[in-house]
Amino acid sequence: MITISKQQARQFILSKQGLIGAYRFKGKDGAYDYVRQAGCIQYDPVDVCGKNAELTLQSRVKGFKKSMLQELLYEDRKLIDYPDKELSIWPAQDWPYFSSYRERSLELGRTFEGLEELKEQAIAYIDENGPVSSDMLPIEGEIYWHSSMHWSGNWDKKSAAARSVLEQLYTDGELVIHHKKGSRKFYDLAGKHLPESILNAENPCGDDESFLCWRVLRRIGAVGLLWDKNSTAFLGLNINAEMRKKILARLTDEDKICPVMVEGMKTTFYYLSSDDALMKKIIEGSADLKPRMSFIAPLDPLMWDKSLILALWDFQYSWEIYTPAVKRKYGYYTLPILFGEKFVGRIEAIPDRKNKILSVKGLWWEPGIRKTKKLDAALLSTLKAFSKFNDCIFDEGVS
């Protein structure tokens, strides 16, 4: 088993993520390619300076515009909204793998009184009238209902029947999200937007363990390098320490992942076997490591395991959006600043959408970071690009 330094581990992860060196991901095709590489990117509806999925793509996709993600989701139908690592966006081609999710949803749905009849009514109405949101569906009243896979509905009281039946049909796979207006979802029949070759394909995973192997493999590929520890990068997977070790051993035996040690750390790390050429370039010192500056999304795959970030970068990040204001150390929606191989600080950049001006509400440099002309130039350039991403201009006078 090879051993690499912490610096090489950092370089490998950032290179794999497309956050260092020349841009590997460009434009709309690049956005799709990155989501395919990551397996999924997390969706969060909060929009302070871009939603989390959009922020994830803007940091590593050259020329990314928010409209590109909307097109990939709701026009091209190459991506789909559906749970994976919490609420997520992932390639539509992966639909067959999640058949067990839909089967679990169908099974739970049968336990709610009156739901099956409401499902028939909703499908008939949507088939005739097209996409609907919950306030458009002519189903009144409340029923006992909750989702099988995310935080919708109530476990101890009734929920609005219209919203419940739409959410149920969505998790069943009968409906997909047709589009969104803000955080409001509009649903349509899946068969109108996904080809039969995807909808009717058999699950490539023959059993639950094979599905879990596939998901662990995806999560390793998303981060780049993951350790044999309880990790928030595995959130959404039903996996304990014993099963994790079994899966990692199986993937190693199947030559799908490679083990590696990191100097000064006792835990074994793993990376995709398909990334072995990249690992060799990092070790040889021939990889493209030209520094760039990026503002990183709170739920970016790079940040999925904050303990890993602390161990490798000595950078401690907490998303303070749910922290009471008086207890916040930084800001409501603070983004880590990555420059070259280091996390150099964090920033709270807020767009004034009415006047189309981006201002810096807070900027915190990490201890030991020297202010240089190179750092200042990189920050200014990144702020201008971030302003454009938010349809604003950056006014240095209000920073």
Side-chain angles (χ1 to χ4, degrees), residues 113-183:
E113 185 177 352
L115 183 61
E116 293 300 312
E117 182 180 344
L118 293 179
K119 284 166 61 174
E120 292 179 8
Q121 293 177 28
I123 289 172
Y125 183 84
I126 295 169
D127 188 36
E128 182 175 348
N129 296 279
V132 298
S133 61
S134 57
D135 61 344
M136 296 167 59
L137 187 66
I139 290 179
E140 305 290 336
E142 297 181 326
I143 60 170
Y144 284 105
W145 177 84
H146 61 82
S147 173
S148 64
M149 62 185 76
H150 56 96
W151 306 294
S152 291
N154 295 288
W155 276 251
D156 55 1
K157 62 181 180 180
K158 290 186 175 182
S159 302
R163 179 177 177 181
S164 298
V165 70
L166 288 176
E167 291 275 1
Q168 178 66 41
L169 287 166
Y170 164 68
T171 54
D172 288 351
E174 289 284 348
L175 301 181
V176 293
I177 295 174
H178 180 269
H179 69 282
K180 293 177 182 174
K181 287 186 179 179
S183 59

Side-chain angles (χ1 to χ4, degrees), residues 34-239:
Y34 176 71
V35 178
R36 286 188 64 192
Q37 172 179 295
C40 75
I41 56 174
Q42 284 184 255
Y43 171 79
D44 186 86
V46 176
D47 189 354
V48 174
C49 51
K51 297 185 180 74
N52 183 79
E54 297 165 343
L55 289 167
T56 297
L57 294 169
Q58 67 81 31
S59 64
R60 48 177 57 81
V61 179
K62 189 174 184 179
F64 176 75
K65 299 177 182 178
K66 297 176 185 179
S67 59
M68 293 175 182
L69 181 58
Q70 301 307 303
E71 289 170 11
L72 286 166
L73 280 164
Y74 308 126
E75 294 179 22
D76 306 336
R77 297 287 166 182
K78 295 176 75 172
L79 298 177
I80 193 164
D81 306 92
Y82 202 76
D84 183 0
K85 189 177 185 295
E86 307 297 1
L87 297 176
S88 294
I89 293 169
W90 42 262
Q93 67 180 28
D94 289 344
W95 178 270
Y97 287 91
F98 288 89
S99 63
S100 59
Y101 269 38
R102 299 188 290 275
E103 289 164 4
R104 186 177 71 195
S105 177
L106 286 163
E107 185 177 346
L108 179 63
R110 296 186 189 102
T111 68
F112 298 113
E113 185 177 352
L115 183 61
E116 293 300 312
E117 182 180 344
L118 293 179
K119 284 166 61 174
E120 292 179 8
Q121 293 177 28
I123 289 172
Y125 183 84
I126 295 169
D127 188 36
E128 182 175 348
N129 296 279
V132 298
S133 61
S134 57
D135 61 344
M136 296 167 59
L137 187 66
I139 290 179
E140 305 290 336
E142 297 181 326
I143 60 170
Y144 284 105
W145 177 84
H146 61 82
S147 173
S148 64
M149 62 185 76
H150 56 96
W151 306 294
S152 291
N154 295 288
W155 276 251
D156 55 1
K157 62 181 180 180
K158 290 186 175 182
S159 302
R163 179 177 177 181
S164 298
V165 70
L166 288 176
E167 291 275 1
Q168 178 66 41
L169 287 166
Y170 164 68
T171 54
D172 288 351
E174 289 284 348
L175 301 181
V176 293
I177 295 174
H178 180 269
H179 69 282
K180 293 177 182 174
K181 287 186 179 179
S183 59
R184 180 172 291 278
K185 299 183 285 285
F186 291 75
Y187 297 92
D188 202 2
L189 299 177
K192 293 183 178 180
H193 302 284
L194 296 177
E196 288 188 14
S197 58
I198 287 179
L199 287 173
N200 298 328
E202 289 188 16
N203 189 336
C205 300
D207 52 46
D208 290 342
E209 185 177 304
S210 296
F211 180 47
L212 188 56
C213 281
W214 179 77
R215 299 187 76 192
V216 168
L217 195 67
R218 286 212 316 169
R219 298 296 173 88
I220 293 172
V223 178
L225 198 64
L226 271 181
W227 49 10
D228 182 11
K229 291 180 70 171
N230 182 28
S231 172
T232 46
F234 293 137
L235 197 65
L237 279 61
N238 184 20
I239 189 169

Side-chain angles (χ1 to χ4, degrees), residues 365-389:
W365 297 111
E366 285 295 282
I369 295 301
R370 274 193 324 115
K371 292 290 295 298
T372 63
K373 290 182 179 180
K374 186 176 182 180
L375 182 67
D376 287 343
L379 179 62
L380 180 59
S381 176
T382 307
L383 280 167
K384 287 181 177 179
F386 197 67
S387 300
K388 186 176 181 181
F389 161 72

